[in-house]
Amino acid sequence: MALTDDVKQQIQQAYRDVLAGKDVRARYGQRLMIAEIARYMGEITDNDGQRTSPPAACVVEAGTGTGKTLAYLIAAIPVAKALGKTLVISTATVALQDQIVLKDLPDLRKHSKLDFSWTLAKGRGRYLCMSRLESRLHDEGHGDSDTMPLFLLDQPMDDEAASRITFEKMLATYGSREWDGDRDHWPEQIPDDIWRQVTTDHRQCTNRHCAYFDSCAFFDARKDLDDADVVVANHDLVLADLALGGGAILPEPENALFIFDEAHHLPDKALNHFAASVPLNSTRQWLKQLSQGLVKMQPWLPGGSQAAKAVEKISTSGRDLDIALGRVYEEIEQNTGWEFNDERRSAQWRYPDGELPEAVAELAAETRIVTAGLVRHLGTLVDELQSAFDERKDPELDRDTADSWYPVIGAFHSRAEEQLRLWAAWCESGPVIPQNDESAEAAPVVRKGPPPARWAVRQRWDHGEDITLFSSPVLADNLLYSRLWSRVYGAVLTSATLTALGRFDRLRSRAGLPEASRYLVVPSSFRYGEMATVEVPAMAAMPTDDGFAEALIKRLPDLWAGEKATLVLFTSRRQMQQVRDALAPDYPELILTQDDMAKNEVLRTHCSRVDEGRPSVLFGVASFAEGIDLPGKYLHHVVITRLPFSVPDDPIEASLAEWVTQRGGNPFMEITVPDASVKLVQAVGRLLRTEQDTGRVTILDRRIVARRYGQLLLDALPPFRRIIEH
């Protein structure tokens, strides 16, 4: 029992101190949230540090203005310290991660008497690799150096001179400590194709054998991880750690209390994380690169050495795999009912119930065996190269050869492992959790669910075509239950949108939450009825009608007339651009779309226009319906053009709908409507960010009043004053 009188006293005193220090008043919802989290954590029972109470999560929906971050920090830090557990806070976005580390935690320590340490945890791919940077500058990216064949890792840049200037600037600012090597702290956006050349992953990194180990940005950021009381991570890193068995990067789930902020993202992130894909023709091109690399490597290996033998086996496996991939391509290209439409140069084919035709299944099984062989032999070569770093042994390879080739072979090994995941997923029967050796013992519970989604996409370009094969779990419930909820000491999930249509059922099933979990909706401090209206005007067309875009073009200018700051949300990029193209000539210097420049730049331009007293209208799609914060004068009117129903051709959604139908359910009411409700609540949530904000929401999709399900969507919105035209 961790919630002793002493711990309760610490929590209460910390809250009083913070309120006094920041000169703010207590919020009812915040106090409720603190009490709920502390009570939940205090009721966990254990024996010798291992949880003995049944798995359970604490789920708290708390709207904007609750002060969620402060609530969970004040409740959880004293309890975690009393238990001797690490508190891991996981967010969906880097922006919130940085806010917690740079603002919320320092604020709490400054204003309370709580004594705790914290650190930030990001994946290796967010940090500069000095070894890669140095070799980029040394080789100028052309791979003409014998000592660092990095040309095999990346294609040369189109604009070599521009990238070299960036690399030199990185070296200077990192060397002078002006920059910490974190991609997110670089003053400008770094394009992916440039960043890829100067970062690394765990397969390519030589760790303490690297000449730059003592000044490594990644290991420098990691050194506090074992000792910190609070670790601030993100959902992707947590999932990557769980995929490695848990405890590889972050503390083991058994020794940690997890808080998932923006928790509504977790199920989808888990699906993405455990999905797999293989582009067939691109993989055959990659095999040619592998073959070229092995030819260049051979002279550096002593004849008859284990490494030389491994290279021969890799060459044979590569040739076998190339033949197998050619056969798969031919079978799927010729015997699939591809339908290309006029606009798109791609066609998608989903295998109903995830069942592959017999011929495809047989070829997939053969390809899996060959790919597994390639992975095994590449692993042997990686081990041989790694042994050259150990001076206590008598390695067959010299250190310079290992230094040069380890990152290259590591990258090939990593790519081959990714391919094996797809072939393994295409050969599994029924919903099986992806396992690796480390996590096999830790995943005892597998609950029956829908079969995996399997599909293929065929794309055509001017100079060729490709077919990419995909596999994904349809629900993340098994994955999250077996790898996380059944193991973690304690877990709290919070967000402004965890219910759908006023219930937690959607989250419970998609996230696989344990039976004993507890749920709370924290009442908002906002006086919605006084602060805002939701309006449904008469419209000339329904969104399903051909004339809907024209109706929007006619209606929108009346809606933003007289407003200083308006956000118009679309569900389709194409429709957003069509409406913008029609209206922009008549309204110069008014409309900004989210595609005009980087997101932060769009928002900055919008705010500066408002500051100058000029009106501004923002056009955006899904990411602007959730991820933006425009308080006060920067947003007075949110216009929702269409209810956010998901795209019907999404193969994962289609597979889930198929499964629900087979079980006698109604996928539209069980999946589509609840999903739309969550998105709609998030979109409406852009309007009121503080207790002083006011404004209005206009919904131009008449289905919200004309269809039976519309009433459910309307009732799930905050209780704004309603104005509905008939």
Side-chain angles (χ1 to χ4, degrees):
M1 172 67 182
L3 202 57
T4 59
D5 289 343
D6 181 42
V7 172
K8 278 184 197 168
Q9 183 62 37
Q10 279 183 51
I11 292 170
Q12 289 162 358
Q13 190 59 49
Y15 191 42
R16 283 195 291 268
D17 291 345
V18 171
L19 294 175
K22 292 170 73 78
D23 193 24
V24 292
R25 59 187 176 79
R27 301 175 191 175
Y28 173 66
Q30 195 173 49
R31 289 208 323 258
L32 210 59
M33 187 168 172
I34 292 170
E36 178 73 3
I37 292 171
R39 198 179 303 119
Y40 156 76
M41 290 185 166
E43 287 174 4
I44 298 168
T45 57
D46 71 9
N47 180 20
D48 199 21
Q50 293 302 296
R51 190 195 67 219
T52 52
S53 46
C58 173
V59 183
V60 183
E61 179 176 275
T64 310
T66 306
K68 288 191 289 291
T69 313
L70 181 62
Y72 62 62
L73 292 175
I74 281 180
I77 288 172
V79 178
K81 287 200 73 173
L83 287 165
K85 302 293 182 189
T86 307
L87 181 64
V88 179
I89 296 164
S90 177
T91 74
T93 59
V94 167
L96 182 54
Q97 213 179 352
D98 280 343
Q99 182 198 308
I100 292 169
V101 167
L102 303 174
K103 181 175 171 288
D104 298 323
L105 286 165
D107 234 26
L108 177 58
R109 192 160 68 179
K110 176 183 169 188
H111 293 299
S112 75
K113 297 184 181 69
L114 295 178
D115 176 30
F116 60 93
S117 59
W118 68 85
T119 189
L120 177 66
K122 293 182 186 177
R124 203 182 300 251
R126 305 306 295 175
Y127 293 97
L128 173 75
C129 170
M130 271 299 293
S131 176
R132 298 281 308 268
L133 176 63
E134 192 268 341
S135 49
R136 277 288 167 227
L137 289 167
H138 180 244
D139 295 349
E140 298 186 39
H142 292 307
D144 51 6
S145 154
D146 288 337
T147 56
M148 186 53 82
L150 280 171
F151 70 99
L152 290 167
L153 294 181
D154 304 289
Q155 295 307 304
M157 291 289 299
D158 292 338
D159 189 351
E160 205 69 60
S163 58
R164 186 174 181 84
I165 291 165
T166 305
F167 295 153
E168 283 172 349
K169 194 173 161 191
M170 284 178 175
L171 184 64
T173 52
Y174 187 66
S176 65
R177 300 288 176 104
E178 291 169 66
W179 178 47
D180 61 0
D182 182 333
R183 180 181 185 176
D184 303 308
H185 297 162
W186 187 254
E188 299 104 40
Q189 199 93 14
I190 305 174
D192 287 346
D193 54 354
I194 287 187
W195 182 251
R196 246 196 323 269
Q197 298 180 72
V198 292
T199 189
T200 190
D201 65 25
H202 76 287
R203 285 286 184 222
Q204 300 168 45
C205 174
T206 55
N207 290 337
R208 56 188 70 257
H209 303 301
C210 175
Y212 295 100
F213 180 75
D214 292 335
S215 60
C216 174
F218 171 70
F219 285 106
D220 197 42
R222 276 292 157 88
K223 65 177 184 282
D224 302 326
L225 207 57
D226 291 340
D227 304 321
D229 298 313
V230 181
V231 174
V232 183
N234 55 51
H235 300 346
D236 289 318
L237 188 64
V238 170
L239 290 161
D241 187 52
L242 294 174
L244 294 168
I249 308 165
L250 298 167
E252 291 177 340
E254 291 81 357
N255 295 318
L257 289 166
F258 274 85
I259 292 178
F260 292 96
D261 203 337
E262 303 174 308
H264 59 282
H265 285 292
L266 194 60
D268 284 342
K269 291 250 182 202
L271 289 183
N272 290 340
H273 203 85
F274 290 99
S277 64
V278 167
L280 298 173
N281 279 343
S282 299
T283 302
R284 296 181 76 184
Q285 287 301 316
W286 171 81
L287 286 169
K288 282 182 189 163
Q289 273 186 301
L290 172 61
S291 175
Q292 289 164 7
L294 296 175
V295 168
K296 289 186 185 299
M297 186 184 188
Q298 218 134 18
W300 301 95
L301 306 177
S305 64
Q306 289 301 317
K309 288 175 187 168
V311 164
E312 285 173 22
K313 288 177 180 170
I314 294 165
S315 298
T316 305
S317 289
R319 286 193 293 274
D320 292 346
L321 181 55
D322 184 61
I323 293 165
L325 291 171
R327 292 171 65 196
V328 174
Y329 193 98
E330 191 178 333
E331 172 62 33
I332 291 180
E333 180 196 39
Q334 290 177 6
N335 297 314
T336 303
W338 302 110
E339 284 183 23
F340 290 91
N341 63 22
D342 298 338
E343 291 164 27
R344 295 195 317 209
R345 289 175 153 198
S346 72
Q348 177 177 289
W349 179 268
R350 183 180 69 84
Y351 295 98
D353 297 322
E355 285 184 19
L356 303 174
E358 199 174 327
V360 174
E362 283 174 14
L363 290 170
E366 290 167 21
T367 312
R368 176 188 187 172
I369 292 165
V370 180
T371 308
L374 180 65
V375 169
R376 194 167 59 252
H377 301 318
L378 280 165
T380 302
L381 184 53
V382 166
D383 292 343
E384 286 301 306
L385 290 164
Q386 199 164 28
S387 68
F389 296 123
D390 193 341
E391 280 127 22
R392 292 166 304 176
K393 293 182 181 170
D394 183 20
E396 294 182 307
L397 306 180
D398 66 86
R399 175 71 188 253
D400 285 349
T401 301
D403 266 336
S404 304
W405 285 97
Y406 182 86
V408 177
I409 301 302
F412 282 128
H413 187 212
S414 188
R415 174 94 178 253
E417 281 186 321
E418 284 172 24
Q419 293 165 23
L420 183 57
R421 279 180 53 209
L422 180 280
W423 297 115
W426 267 42
C427 294
E428 297 289 8
S429 55
V432 176
I433 295 170
Q435 294 265 18
N436 57 18
D437 294 339
E438 299 100 312
S439 68
E441 287 176 32
V445 184
V446 178
R447 300 182 297 182
K448 196 73 181 158
R454 294 173 176 145
W455 70 101
V457 173
R458 185 174 169 192
Q459 285 173 292
R460 289 173 173 165
W461 299 280
D462 292 339
H463 303 294
E465 65 170 61
D466 206 347
I467 294 172
T468 305
L469 311 183
F470 295 88
S471 175
S472 170
V474 169
L475 289 174
D477 56 347
N478 277 336
L479 293 163
L480 290 172
Y481 187 87
S482 61
R483 291 174 182 243
L484 185 57
W485 314 130
S486 65
R487 296 180 55 194
V488 70
Y489 190 88
V492 175
L493 292 82
T494 187
S495 164
T497 46
L498 292 178
T499 57
L501 304 174
R503 300 162 65 94
F504 285 101
D505 298 3
R506 175 181 178 275
L507 178 73
R508 189 186 289 129
S509 66
R510 294 204 167 199
L513 292 169
E515 291 296 320
S517 299
R518 51 205 288 169
Y519 301 87
L520 173 72
V521 176
V522 172
S524 174
S525 58
F526 289 175
R527 305 169 317 286
Y528 287 110
E530 298 167 34
M531 295 166 75
T533 55
V534 59
E535 305 175 14
V536 185
M539 283 291 285
M542 285 281 204
T544 46
D545 298 341
D546 290 341
F548 186 65
E550 283 304 316
L552 288 179
I553 291 162
K554 280 194 184 125
R555 192 74 210 226
L556 283 171
D558 296 338
L559 292 171
W560 68 54
E563 297 277 9
K564 282 279 179 269
T566 305
L567 170 65
V568 184
L569 293 169
F570 295 83
T571 57
S572 141
R573 216 173 212 98
R574 205 175 51 167
Q575 192 163 78
M576 174 179 82
Q577 286 157 353
Q578 182 187 353
V579 173
R580 187 267 322 268
D581 291 347
L583 289 170
D586 296 332
Y587 297 92
E589 296 289 298
L590 177 70
I591 301 170
L592 271 171
T593 84
Q594 78 174 77
D595 295 338
D596 290 348
M597 49 196 107
K599 182 175 175 179
N600 288 344
E601 197 57 29
V602 170
L603 297 177
R604 200 187 59 72
T605 307
H606 169 78
C607 292
S608 65
R609 282 182 183 178
V610 176
D611 287 337
E612 290 161 16
R614 294 191 289 146
S616 180
V617 175
L618 272 179
F619 278 15
V621 288
S623 58
F624 266 40
E626 186 185 346
I628 60 170
D629 192 13
L630 293 168
K633 65 180 180 179
Y634 299 115
L635 186 57
H636 269 291
H637 192 182
V638 175
V639 180
I640 293 163
T641 58
R642 187 180 186 135
L643 295 175
F645 291 123
S646 53
V647 188
D649 65 355
D650 180 284
I652 298 173
E653 294 289 327
S655 299
L656 181 57
E658 186 174 65
W659 182 65
V660 168
T661 304
Q662 285 166 359
R663 294 166 71 236
N666 176 342
F668 183 73
M669 292 308 294
E670 289 180 39
I671 305 166
T672 311
V673 174
D675 284 3
S677 175
V678 171
K679 290 175 191 164
L680 191 60
V681 170
Q682 283 163 354
V684 165
R686 295 315 94 211
L687 183 66
L688 304 179
R689 309 304 295 168
T690 73
E691 291 183 32
Q692 287 72 48
D693 290 356
T694 57
R696 61 186 180 132
V697 174
T698 302
I699 299 173
L700 297 179
D701 188 335
R702 293 286 300 179
R703 289 178 296 181
I704 202 158
V705 288
R707 300 283 184 270
R708 263 213 322 248
Y709 60 78
Q711 193 63 46
L712 297 172
L713 295 173
L714 206 50
D715 290 345
L717 294 179
F720 300 126
R721 198 159 53 82
R722 294 180 186 175
I723 301 172
I724 296 169
E725 288 182 18
H726 294 291

